[in-house]
Amino acid sequence: AGGVFLAGLLPVLGLVPFMYQKTSTVADRYAYVSMLGSAIAAGATVAIAWARRPAMRVWVGIGTAVVTCLLGLLSLRQTAIWKDSRVLWERAVLIAPNSAVANSQLAAMLVGTQEQARGEALARRALASDPGNSDAHLNLGYVLQKRGEEDAAVAEFVLAAQFDPEKAKPHVNLGIIYRRRGQLEAAMREYETAARLDPRNAQARGNLGACYLEAGQYPRAEAELRAAVNLEPQSVLVRTNLAAVLAKQ
């Protein structure tokens, strides 16, 4: 049982870096597999007591039933916390109000809703704890963009891209602002970067195709728009732009 516990825990001790360490170096989920060892030990203890002490079997049975019921109740309470992402992150913020990850994740769920003001506050709190949090910069930039504060939004999106060079979304948002400002070349550069980082990002491919269409680069526009259609077949705008490209050639 001890060997099973250690074998399950070893991969998440951090001796070899793994993806989820970026979010948290400690988490209860890291022990899920290793708890099999504890279950084996508990089961073996009950089995030995049952076999070696017949007179105690009633109490062993009662004790096992009580523990099982308690664990079931605790599991039921935990499932309420894991009901959905919103409830989970609300709980996380309640427990750890200064957690950059918790605040940023909850902010991401709120900035596009009627609770945008709270989303902004959470994003700013996340940045107070971790100024290099790319997601928090992205969320704050989204709020500022929606509010019409484009210069401030651009600054946040640039920081989001700097702190996470592999993230495509900041470049998509920058492209949207630059294109709206008439800075077509700058918009194309941002969309090209986003498409390179995430070739399956339909918004990046579709917007890049629209920019190529506007610039008169029809073969490139067709390639990007066809890719966007394959990724998002229901998009009327992308199909309209593709039809316009085909009509130009």
Side-chain angles (χ1 to χ4, degrees), residues 62-169:
I62 292 174
T64 301
V66 169
V67 170
T68 301
C69 289
L70 287 174
L71 291 175
L73 290 173
L74 290 172
S75 297
L76 185 62
R77 187 181 70 172
Q78 189 67 20
T79 56
I81 297 173
W82 286 82
K83 176 184 176 181
D84 55 40
S85 296
R86 171 72 183 268
V87 174
L88 174 63
W89 290 117
E90 289 279 10
R91 175 69 175 173
V93 168
L94 180 65
I95 294 173
N98 294 320
S99 167
V101 172
N103 281 295
S104 181
Q105 291 294 328
L106 183 56
M109 303 187 70
L110 300 181
V111 294
T113 71
Q114 293 181 343
E115 297 181 69
Q116 190 174 97
R118 186 181 175 216
E120 178 182 359
L122 289 166
R124 292 189 184 279
R125 189 193 298 173
L127 290 173
S129 301
D130 178 12
N133 189 302
S134 176
D135 288 333
H137 283 293
L138 182 63
N139 294 331
L140 180 56
Y142 181 81
V143 172
L144 296 170
Q145 181 183 8
K146 287 293 183 182
R147 206 156 60 205
E149 300 177 31
E150 288 193 344
D151 289 338
V154 166
E156 293 300 326
F157 292 144
V158 168
L159 287 172
Q162 288 177 352
F163 288 122
D164 189 351
E166 300 302 313
K167 191 190 298 292
K169 188 60 177 174

